[in-house]
Every structure is written in C-alpha cells, then in structure tokens.
Amino acid sequence: MPLASVLFVCLGNICRSPLAEAAFRAAADAARLPVEVDSAGTGGWHAGDPPDRRAIAEARRHGVAIGDYRARQIRAEDFTRFDYIFALDHSNLKDLQAITPANATASVGLLMDLVPGRAGQPVADPYYGGPDDFAETWADVSLAAAMLVQRLRG
Ligand code: 4NP
C-alpha cells in the first residue's frame, strides 16, 4: 500500500510532467517513501509517445532513465485513483478543473505552490526552447519534488 499516489499533469505529457514524475520518483526512492507516481497530459496528441528526447537527456543527466515512459491523456478515473494531482501551469490547472468529475477525491493543485516563495508560478513550457529551458524545468520540478517528499514524510 503506497503512502501516497501522485499524478503530474502538463499539456503533452512529453516534456514537463515526465520530468516531474522522474524527479519525484528519484526523491521518493532516496527517502525510501513508498509512493505511486504517474504523469499524464491534458491533451492526447502524443499518447503512446516516449518523452521528448531533450527531456530524456535532461533526466539522464540527473541519473533517471525515462526513455520507457509513454505519454497518455488524463482520464476521469485519475481523479479517484490518485491522492494528489499537480498541474504544471495555470492552463493545465484550468483544464483539470473543467474536467474534474463530481465524485473526484484527489486534491488538485498547482505544482509550484509546494515551493515556498514560488506559489502561483508556472513551470514554463520548454517545448519551443532549448537545453537551458529543459534544465530550468528540471530545477523547478526537483524543488517541488523535494518539498512534496518533505511534506509526505512530515
Ligand atoms: P509538455 O510540453 O506539455 O511539457 O509535455 C509540450 C509538448 C507538446 C506540445 C506542447 C507542449 N505540443 O504542442 O505538441
């Protein structure tokens, strides 16, 4: 029985949310926290695809292999299956709120609200950016992952 189940959600599920999933898996493993983790996109255009190659490279730099992650679109049962659903930006959060079913039990929020001093901030979409943007994504999601581990431990 996991201590908590967590779903990270961005637009395509090929850049930001796979990195958030990877960072949180790594942080939870290091803390020996038994968690269930997944990620999804609000959109389904990339369903079945591996993460963006730049996201794979960024995760690899931090010792996490994500090449066998596969993108999927969020579905109604995610709102009862997971304890926490974290949106990577405001648009993702708005889209999640629009499809939250009446029987939802998950707590739905913005990822960076976990980080003191960063509340209300988005994790910027690196899709049209370069390697530096993916490094910034990693920095953001790993900060949030560390705070989430701390919170679940507490
Ligand atoms: P993600 O990035 O939401 O962080 O996975 C994107 C991936 C794909 C697209 C947009 C953002 N797209 O337009 O295909």
Side-chain angles (χ1 to χ4, degrees):
M1 179 76 178
L3 177 68
S5 55
V6 183
L7 180 69
F8 299 97
V9 178
C10 64
L11 178 61
N13 193 210
I14 56 168
C15 297
R16 291 166 295 172
S17 61
L19 287 176
E21 177 182 352
F24 181 59
R25 274 185 198 287
D29 284 354
R32 301 197 187 289
L33 281 188
V35 293
E36 185 191 340
V37 194
D38 198 5
S39 61
T42 56
W45 314 283
H46 293 281
D49 291 351
D52 186 286
R53 67 180 59 189
R54 297 163 297 174
I56 294 174
E58 184 60 31
R60 191 187 302 121
R61 267 191 281 284
H62 302 280
V64 189
I66 65 169
D68 58 2
Y69 288 15
R70 291 294 178 267
R72 72 171 179 89
Q73 188 169 21
I74 184 137
R75 36 185 186 256
E77 59 258 38
D78 290 324
F79 290 88
T80 46
R81 174 172 157 217
F82 291 93
D83 301 318
Y84 300 97
I85 300 179
F86 290 107
L88 276 281
D89 69 25
H90 297 89
S91 165
N92 307 146
L93 182 59
K94 191 165 150 261
D95 290 344
L96 286 174
Q97 286 162 344
I99 59 165
T100 300
N103 67 339
T105 49
S107 151
V108 180
L110 188 69
L111 182 67
M112 293 308 282
D113 281 357
L114 288 164
V115 182
R118 301 288 302 274
Q121 294 184 14
V123 175
D125 188 347
Y127 187 63
Y128 295 104
D132 286 358
D133 297 285
F134 281 81
E136 189 181 330
T137 302
W138 182 269
D140 287 350
V141 299
S142 58
L143 264 179
M147 297 313 303
L148 183 54
V149 163
Q150 213 176 85
R151 177 189 289 200
L152 293 174
R153 272 178 138 170

